[in-house]
Amino acid sequence: MYHEQPLRPARARSPRWACVGWGGAGGASPTVGARDVSLQGGHRVPVALLSPCPLSSQGCWVPTGDAGAPWGHLGRWVMGCLYLAGHTSRLLKALLGTSILFLLAHFIFQICLYTLPILDQLLGPSCSTWEVLARHIGVTRLDLSDIPNSVRLVAPDVGILLASSLCLCLCRRLVPKAGPAARGRSARLRVTAHWLLWAAGKGLAILLLALAGITLPSASSSVYYLLFVGLCTWWACHLPTSRLAFDTLCFLVGIYAGGHLLCLYAYQTPFVQGVFPPPTIWARLFGFKDVVLYRNCSQPNALVLNTGHPWPVYVNPGILLLLYYTVATLVKLHRLDARVRGCGAKCPARELVELESWPKDTDGVAEDTKNCTVHVMGNSPQPGKRRPAERLPLHALGHVILNQSYVCALIAMMVWSITYHSWLTFVLLLWACLIWTVRSRHHFAMLCSPFLLLYGIALCSLQYVWGMDLAPELPTRVGFMSLEQLGLVHPKYPCLDLGAKLLLTLTFWLLLRQFVKEKLLTRRCPATPLLEVTVSDTEPSRQRDVLKALGVLVRDFYAKYWICVCAGMFIVVSFAGRLVVYKIVYMFLFLLCLTLFQVYYSLWRKVLKGFWWLVVAYTMLVLIAVYTYQFEDFPMYWRNLTGLTDEQLGDLGLEQFSVSELFSSTLIPGFFLLACILQLHYFHRPFMHITDLEHIPPGRGWEGAGMDWVVLQVWEVVETDWGVLQAREDTGMGWAPTKWGLVLERLIVLGWTFSDTLTRAQVFVGRLLELHILKLVALYTVWVALQEVSLMNFLLVLLWAFAMPYCRFRHMASCLSTVWTCIIIVCKMLYQLKIVDPSEYSSNCTQPQLNGTNLNPEELGNSTLYRGPVDPANWFGIRKGYPNLGYIQNHLLVLLLLVFEAVVYRRQEYYRKQHQLVAPVTETIFEDISREHLDHGLGSCAKYFLNYFYYKFGLEICFLMTVNVIGQRMNFMVILHGCWLVVILTRRRRAAIARLWPKYCLFLVVFLLYQYLLCVGMPPALCVDYPWRWTRALPFNSALIKWLYLPDFFVAPKSTNLISEYPHPPHPQPTTNPWQPPAERTEEWLRAAGENTDRLDLARDPHNPTPNFIHCRSYLDMVKVVVFRYLFWFVLVVVFITGATRISLFGLGYLLACFYLLLFGTAMLRKPARARLVLWDCLILYNITVIISKNMLSLLSCVFVQQMQSNFCWVIQLFSLVCTVKGYYDPKEMGKDQDCSLPVEEAGIIWDSICFFFLLLQRRVFLSYYYLHVMLDLQASALQASRGVALFKASTLKSMHSHRQAEKKSLAQLKRQMERIRAKQEKYHQERLPRGTGDRDPSPTPVLVEPHGASERWWRPWLDHAAGTVLHSGEYFLFESDSEEEEEAAVPEEPQPGRQSAFQVSMAGGTGEGGAGGAHRTLTAPFPLPARLPGLAERGNVVQRVLNTLRFLWVLCRAMVDGLTQWLDACTREHADMSTVLRLERYVLTRRLATGEDMHRGVLDELYLLPPEEPPAEEVGEQGAHPCPRAIPSGHQGAAPRPVGCPLPTGSQEQVTILESQEDVAGSQELLALPQNRSRTASELLLSRRLYFPELEESERFYRSHNRVLKLLLAGYRCVAAHSELLCYFIIILNNMVTASVISLFLPILVFLWAMLSIPRPSKRFWMTAIIFTEVMVVVKYLFQFGFFPWNGYTMLVRNEGKPFFPPRILGLEKTDRYIKYDLIQLLALFFHRSLLLSYGLWDHE
């Protein structure tokens, strides 16, 4: 059958071969089983049986059909059959014989020397002629005293003898013993190895040819060099090649290389070195170097090496030897191929195939034939199918390189000229610049390719000649010109320069090859005849599509970002080295481009191409000028032409450099020129297309991105292949998806997902940058201006100070900042030139007299006026002598940020126009999130706050920023900020603050500019000091000047502190300004973000727009409960810590406010908003007052600290006065006074600021609609103040009644047993009486009626009923049975299954099923039981056993967690039921409170069913054991089963206990304390519940859906809450144990003598006593922490350290660091218990 295969010139398909056996004396060929062999290109060829061929006595390989094996059994064939019988055997035998002869000659010569003295005399001394001749022959006199050299002389012959003998023996015994399969695998490996040897051998031979020519330039090595150049030129010209010519060339090169090696070897002999001494011209011309020296004739055997030669001399012989081996191998491979071809022509084949040789050089074949098809006869897996010709990726890459070879050649020309500076290479530079500038540069470069190649070869040849060791003979000057200017010098290592130049010349060869291919071959190549006319496959090349998609992706990437590379090169070329004029021009062009881009985008696009042409032309001019200036006499020409000095020319950039400096000075502009040319010619047009904002192509969704397009192309390829394979399966040809196909499909899906995620991330980051890039620009610009305080930077501060509060100035600020920053950068660069000398115009100020200034001599020397010459330019912001980039990088980064801002805005505009989107009105990050999504979950809530956080909390953020400014600076200036803060806070309402806010913003702007001008100060060049330094009479010292923030030449104001005063808030957009009145906001904004008002009448609004979150139905509700319900108590804890961590008078106020709110906070939380805010605003104002007071007191603590420490120490201790700003004084000097030490750790307003933040946050909580739910819940809880007491009392009474019923039943049972015993005793006595006695006794005998069923059990033996056996021995005969089970009818009951443990539930849960089926499946669950582990261990391995053990441990851990959770729930069941009832009733009360309905006693009666009617207590008592008892204790339900005929009450599974009198019901007298059904317990009320609410049911489902860990935590919390009084007792006792003192002993006594003796629990009075006592104890301890008490002095504390009987320590009034820690924990525990009592309705008993 025929199979069509595309004919590839470079990758011909390998034929099928069969190994033919050996002829001769009946040699039978071994056989190889038929199997496939993988050849190159991915084809598989079957390996057939070996067929005999009686051609010769040697084996050969012939091509066969299906049964042909690939030739290449190289080891067995070469070593075993061919060469052993031919050259290999003869070579080994010759080596063996020669080594034997040499060894015998050595042996005989040494024997004769030592036995025949005449021979020794004949040879003469060591330097005689005969001795030298003998050494040349190979025999020499061995010196037994010099053993190493003697061994060295003999060892080579011994080694050759052993090696040749071993090889000969092994090869003769080499018999193939491997099986057919092993021989088949070996054949496949040898086929691949043979092909790789042939493919790599050609390239290696050409490479070694070049290396052999350039390693040591000489006349003998020039042959290799010329051959290499000729071969490359031949290949580049597309001249025809033949295999015979190449083999002949290899043969000749091998002969020449062998002769060259022999000559080099022969030159190491003394005779040849004597004929041609090394210094002679012939030795140097032919490259003969004396590696072995013969200088001492007295020691002829010593080996002396010449180590004075450079390393190429020693490498050259090795390269020649590698070259020889390589060409010899290629010749041998050719001979093998020829022998196979000859053998294949004469051997019969079983099937006709195409006879092809091994891979050969087919470069001469025209590429137009690549699509032709030929027939290959043989079995084909797909008959009738044709495969399209597809290039491999490497081929496609080579094709791309050839197409762009002119670019590589031009780059190589520029690199050559820059690397090797000379007039000859300058021609290449001009040539390259000329080609770059022409329009049809590709065509012009192709036309110049022959001349370029000739010129490059000429340069390499000249370098080769000057690289020879002929320095004395070669000229150095030609006429007036030095040859060094032409680059004709002898380098230290000529091989490196030649190698680099040949590598650059390779691009010229590629260019010429492409030129010949395009121009000559297409004209002369005739039409290629088709072997068969067929219809080509219309299916496109899928591989080509993928490569095309990748190419488009790379092209688009470079088109978009290559301009960034050019921008970076602008910066590099401008700041590399010393700043000169031409680099400043580069920076000026760069700044001009950026300015146009920022200010006038449309004009920038119009002039961009001209700009690139200008940059290219200017760079060429600079490169040529710098290049030519390095030649001789050119500096003189420039001086004469321009009339400038050498220094001025150096400032222009024209100076002569050293070799390394010249390389960097020309390489950087050269690469910059290359980058600009690539941008201009390749990327400019697509860049202009993608940046056109007027003509934007519509977006293609996610397919628009480059990466997504590639993924889509690959996906189409996979879909096509998948469809083809599926079609094969449908047609019955068989197909199964491979794992690699599935992996590829999965990878494509992952790539698709990654691409989509990347696109979304890009959109998100773009939107985020659009909103906040302006803030970053403004903040960084102001920060740079504050770091470099100067008059020029004042304009930047002025622009951005007005731009942030007033959005109409923002675009103008960006544009003006760009222009002004460019001016600053250019001025700074120009000031660094050498022609600018500040010493010529600097001012030298005269120091004043000591009485004419208040500066001391040390301060006078450090003043800016008097420490040195004053440069007037410094005041303007320009300095001299700074590092180039480090000095300018701040303003350069400002400029780049400004440009990046424009890029972000225009990129977003492009994106919206492309996708036809509209900018959001609210300027938010997540456009689909609005106020209605706030309550949809945690994710939506987080997105909402990311959108509108500043809108909601902008005012609070501004307040915090103001407090931060006060805390950071603590000087006179921030007092004004504090006053503004007080004025704004006293307005209270947001509407009033909004009217005041524009004035405040204007104040911030003006105040910032005023302070910046203070930092700039007066020009120092005026030599005039400030008035407060004029005389000592003024009370101004440096500390006071710093605190007042006055300008000074000694203590300059710290300008970086002003960054905290930068005008806030930095609103992202005008619409997001939270200070606009509500009328000015748009409807879209209010609808999206919601209202932002502070209404104080929220409770009057009947409609609450927020959902009720009290009964948590989601995790967001849990967060809301934490924030809106419990944040208040956390804020109070922060207030407590704020006061306790600072021992001062201000801290005491915090403690008192905290204690007041802790006591009465619950009542305050239930009040309306106005009442709450009055008290809370007072606390906020106190907090602000403390902050401002501390700031004002900083004057004493920073400026007059020494006077205060000496005379007013009590003031320091009362107010904790410590300066928190560094630089006023030395803390070590101030810390020497131990009696009045500064409270360093207790100073500052950090905790005041934290407290201020939480106070503001809680105020916003009070003004929220969400808080209305908390307020109503608290009001409902107040109505249930004693409801828990009634429920607990009902539960207690029910338990008492149950126990009473149980006692009655037990007593009745005991009576029946006693009657039965009495009857049995009488019967027994009657039986023991004599028979006659009965006749005389007239009294009637009582008839005992046997119990029911006794007749049926009379036959039971006593052995089976040991418990009821009567012991008739002795007096023990009272009982026959100790229970009445035998006398009652045994009612058979079905056995109920026992309750499953948590472990069993977990094991069953592993199967995902329950019930019986689940129990059955537990045995086969994936988590095996321990009983099955040994069996699994026997069947599995160690890893499986470990996994099973881990699974079991995991199940065990889950079971333990579940069991612990169940146990904790069981312990708190009663509290849980009561909490559920209270929550249900509270929900009903909350709803009625929210609607404003009336509250009456029957509100809660609707929740439950009415209790069933109960008979009177007397009737119950008369009936005794009634068949239908009304109450059955839970502990006795099994003992007294319900008789048949007693129906269950409706709606309840448990009867309600009716109390015997009304006195048993004692509850609260408040409203709703005694509804109709309050006598029932919590569990009974839940069973009789008849109303269900969706919110509560959803909350229950949410709590049941928690994971195990959260359930365990909740169960632990419920357990602690149920026994919170024990927690309080424990903490009270622990506090007394840790801080044992008299003052803390009172509470433990109360616990033991009051609380623990109260039944059933302590009253409200005890807990209030404990709380008030703890608060009083904290205040007393706090008061005694002040340092002005005598016992708190340093001396007293040191003296009594470690003494237990120190009175303050006994009383608990000692000054310690941990005086209040456990008291705080105790307070938290007490108030926690109090809140639980309030929530459970246990706080009020009456």
Side-chain angles (χ1 to χ4, degrees), residues 110 114 141-151 154 301:
Q110 302 303 322
Y114 287 98
R141 181 188 289 113
L142 299 179
D143 189 2
L144 297 180
S145 61
D146 190 4
I147 299 300
N149 282 317
S150 300
V151 172
V154 181
N301 296 336

Side-chain angles (χ1 to χ4, degrees), residues 85 187 193 331 430 439 511 522 528 533 578 601 652 703 788 927 992 995 1140 1282 1369 1378 1382 1526 1532 1740:
V331 171
L430 292 178
R439 181 180 296 273
L511 181 62
T522 55
T528 304
V533 179
R578 187 170 71 92
Y601 182 70
L652 289 177
E703 300 176 9
E788 302 178 15
E927 303 174 11
R995 289 190 294 271
S1282 60
S1369 62
D1378 52 1
E1382 298 177 359
R1526 284 296 185 184
H1532 299 272
D1740 290 332

Side-chain angles (χ1 to χ4, degrees), residues 903-915:
V903 169
V904 169
Y905 289 152
R906 284 166 188 149
R907 188 260 179 195
Q908 291 298 103
E909 181 182 357
Y910 184 91
Y911 175 78
R912 292 194 179 98
K913 288 184 178 180
Q914 185 182 23
H915 295 83

Side-chain angles (χ1 to χ4, degrees), residues 1091-1405:
E1091 294 185 356
N1092 195 23
T1093 58
D1094 49 359
R1095 295 175 55 187
L1096 301 180
D1097 54 350
L1098 297 179
R1100 299 178 183 178
D1101 190 358
H1103 175 66
N1104 191 342
T1106 59
N1108 190 355
F1109 59 88
I1110 298 299
H1111 309 285
C1112 300
R1113 290 170 290 174
S1114 63
Y1115 290 104
L1116 179 61
D1117 289 345
M1118 298 178 72
V1119 174
K1120 290 179 182 178
V1121 168
V1122 171
V1123 172
F1124 292 99
R1125 183 159 192 170
Y1126 300 111
L1127 180 65
F1128 173 78
W1129 306 106
F1130 180 76
V1131 172
L1132 293 184
V1133 172
V1134 173
V1135 173
F1136 181 89
I1137 296 175
T1138 304
T1141 53
R1142 303 286 188 265
I1143 305 301
S1144 66
L1145 193 61
F1146 302 124
L1148 184 61
Y1150 283 118
L1151 289 182
L1152 295 178
C1154 175
F1155 292 156
Y1156 177 81
L1157 291 175
L1158 283 174
L1159 288 174
F1160 306 103
T1162 306
M1164 187 194 75
L1165 295 178
R1166 295 195 295 264
K1167 294 180 181 180
R1170 291 182 183 273
R1172 288 195 305 267
L1173 290 180
V1174 168
L1175 187 59
W1176 202 254
D1177 287 344
C1178 292
L1179 183 57
I1180 293 176
L1181 286 177
Y1182 175 76
N1183 178 252
I1184 292 300
T1185 304
V1186 170
I1187 293 174
I1188 297 176
S1189 301
K1190 288 185 177 181
N1191 178 46
M1192 298 177 67
L1193 289 173
S1194 64
L1195 175 64
L1196 301 178
S1197 61
C1198 295
V1199 180
F1200 304 104
V1201 60
Q1202 295 181 353
Q1203 294 84 343
M1204 298 296 298
Q1205 195 173 17
S1206 302
N1207 303 320
F1208 301 96
C1209 184
W1210 64 272
V1211 178
I1212 294 178
Q1213 295 169 346
L1214 184 63
F1215 295 101
S1216 295
L1217 296 183
V1218 177
C1219 186
T1220 57
V1221 180
K1222 297 180 180 179
Y1224 284 96
Y1225 57 82
D1226 188 6
K1228 296 181 180 179
E1229 294 294 332
M1230 298 294 106
K1232 293 181 179 180
D1233 189 0
Q1234 300 292 344
D1235 293 332
C1236 188
S1237 60
L1238 300 178
V1240 179
E1241 298 180 356
E1242 300 178 1
I1245 62 169
I1246 296 178
W1247 275 106
D1248 298 282
S1249 304
I1250 297 173
C1251 180
F1252 182 68
F1253 164 72
F1254 282 103
L1255 290 175
L1256 291 179
L1257 185 61
Q1258 183 61 37
R1259 191 179 192 277
R1260 286 303 305 270
V1261 169
F1262 286 153
L1263 293 173
S1264 175
Y1265 271 105
Y1266 290 99
Y1267 187 76
L1268 294 180
H1269 301 292
V1270 177
M1271 185 183 69
L1272 295 176
D1273 188 74
L1274 292 175
Q1275 292 176 359
S1277 298
L1279 297 177
Q1280 295 178 323
S1282 60
R1283 176 65 174 129
V1285 177
L1287 291 176
F1288 268 111
K1289 196 166 187 178
S1291 177
T1292 304
L1293 292 176
K1294 176 183 175 182
S1295 178
M1296 293 172 58
H1297 185 75
S1298 300
H1299 284 292
R1300 190 177 305 160
Q1301 294 295 330
E1303 290 174 0
K1304 289 181 181 181
K1305 181 180 178 181
S1306 299
L1307 183 59
Q1309 182 178 357
L1310 182 60
K1311 289 180 180 179
R1312 290 195 301 270
Q1313 289 180 353
M1314 293 301 295
E1315 292 293 336
R1316 191 177 299 110
I1317 291 171
R1318 186 181 300 109
K1320 290 182 179 180
Q1321 188 177 13
E1322 291 178 357
K1323 179 181 178 182
Y1324 176 75
H1325 284 294
Q1326 289 179 3
E1327 290 178 355
R1328 296 194 61 176
L1329 291 176
R1331 294 182 179 271
T1333 307
D1335 296 336
R1336 293 191 299 263
D1337 192 355
S1339 61
T1341 303
V1343 180
L1344 296 178
V1345 180
E1346 293 184 359
H1348 176 71
S1351 59
E1352 299 177 0
R1353 295 193 300 270
W1354 61 271
W1355 46 267
R1356 294 176 59 182
W1358 64 88
L1359 292 177
D1360 295 336
H1361 193 58
T1365 302
V1366 180
L1367 300 178
H1368 296 278
S1369 62
E1371 299 296 328
Y1372 191 76
F1373 53 86
L1374 297 178
F1375 303 102
E1376 285 185 359
S1377 176
D1378 52 1
S1379 67
E1380 51 184 359
E1381 292 180 356
E1382 298 177 359
E1383 301 178 5
E1384 296 179 354
V1387 180
E1389 297 181 357
E1390 296 182 359
Q1392 298 182 355
R1395 184 178 180 182
Q1396 290 184 341
S1397 65
F1399 177 75
Q1400 294 172 342
V1401 173
S1402 298
M1403 292 296 295

Side-chain angles (χ1 to χ4, degrees), residues 559-752:
K560 183 181 296 185
Y561 297 109
W562 188 256
I563 193 171
C564 300
V565 177
C566 296
M569 289 300 297
F570 259 115
I571 298 175
V572 172
V573 77
S574 300
F575 294 101
R578 187 170 71 92
L579 276 179
V580 291
V581 172
Y582 83 84
K583 296 181 180 179
I584 297 175
V585 175
Y586 272 123
M587 180 53 60
F588 175 76
L589 293 174
F590 179 59
L591 298 179
L592 179 62
C593 179
L594 295 182
T595 304
L596 280 178
F597 175 79
Q598 172 79 4
V599 177
Y600 204 159
Y601 182 70
S602 59
L603 180 61
W604 174 79
R605 284 178 48 82
K606 293 178 182 178
V607 303
L608 185 58
K609 187 171 185 179
F611 170 78
W612 289 122
W613 275 115
L614 177 62
V615 171
V616 168
Y618 177 73
T619 305
M620 289 181 180
L621 181 63
V622 168
L623 197 57
I624 291 172
V626 174
Y627 200 93
T628 57
Y629 194 82
Q630 310 305 314
F631 295 118
E632 293 180 359
D633 301 330
F634 261 76
M636 182 183 62
Y637 297 155
W638 277 96
R639 287 195 300 270
N640 296 334
L641 181 63
T642 60
L644 301 176
T645 62
D646 290 338
E647 183 179 1
Q648 292 171 344
L649 289 175
D651 282 339
L652 289 177
L654 298 177
E655 57 181 331
Q656 289 189 331
F657 303 101
S658 62
V659 177
S660 59
E661 291 178 348
L662 176 62
F663 180 75
S664 62
S665 299
T666 55
L667 182 65
I668 294 175
F671 274 108
F672 176 64
L673 175 62
L674 178 61
C676 294
I677 289 173
L678 292 178
Q679 172 67 26
L680 179 63
H681 292 310
Y682 289 95
F683 307 129
H684 177 72
R685 182 173 298 176
F687 177 77
M688 297 299 289
H689 177 70
I690 64 177
T691 57
D692 189 1
L693 298 179
E694 302 298 331
H695 305 88
I696 300 176
R700 298 182 296 170
W702 71 271
E703 300 176 9
M707 179 66 71
D708 297 332
W709 187 21
V710 174
V711 174
L712 183 62
Q713 293 291 334
V714 178
W715 180 256
E716 291 177 355
V717 170
V718 173
E719 283 186 338
T720 305
D721 293 339
W722 202 270
V724 171
L725 294 175
Q726 188 66 37
R728 293 183 187 175
E729 182 183 22
D730 296 339
T731 54
M733 298 187 65
W735 165 78
T738 62
K739 59 180 181 180
W740 294 113
L742 298 176
V743 169
L744 179 60
E745 182 183 1
R746 179 60 179 166
L747 289 176
I748 290 173
V749 173
L750 291 177
W752 200 327

Side-chain angles (χ1 to χ4, degrees), residues 89 147 159 305 358 372 488 608 687 974 982 1145 1176 1563 1619 1625 1708:
S89 178
I147 299 300
L305 299 178
W358 283 98
C372 299
L488 301 179
L608 185 58
F687 177 77
V974 295
V982 172
L1145 193 61
W1176 202 254
H1619 306 86
Y1625 301 157

Side-chain angles (χ1 to χ4, degrees), residues 498 577 604 769 819 884 1191 1398 1438 1509 1543 1619 1725:
L498 283 171
W604 174 79
L769 287 174
V819 176
N884 299 336
N1191 178 46
V1438 178
E1509 295 183 358
H1619 306 86

Side-chain angles (χ1 to χ4, degrees), residues 1711-1726:
K1711 181 179 176 62
T1712 59
D1713 295 333
R1714 300 179 300 170
Y1715 73 100
I1716 209 170
K1717 182 184 301 182
Y1718 290 92
D1719 295 328
L1720 174 61
I1721 299 175
Q1722 179 174 313
L1723 265 180
L1724 293 178
L1726 289 173

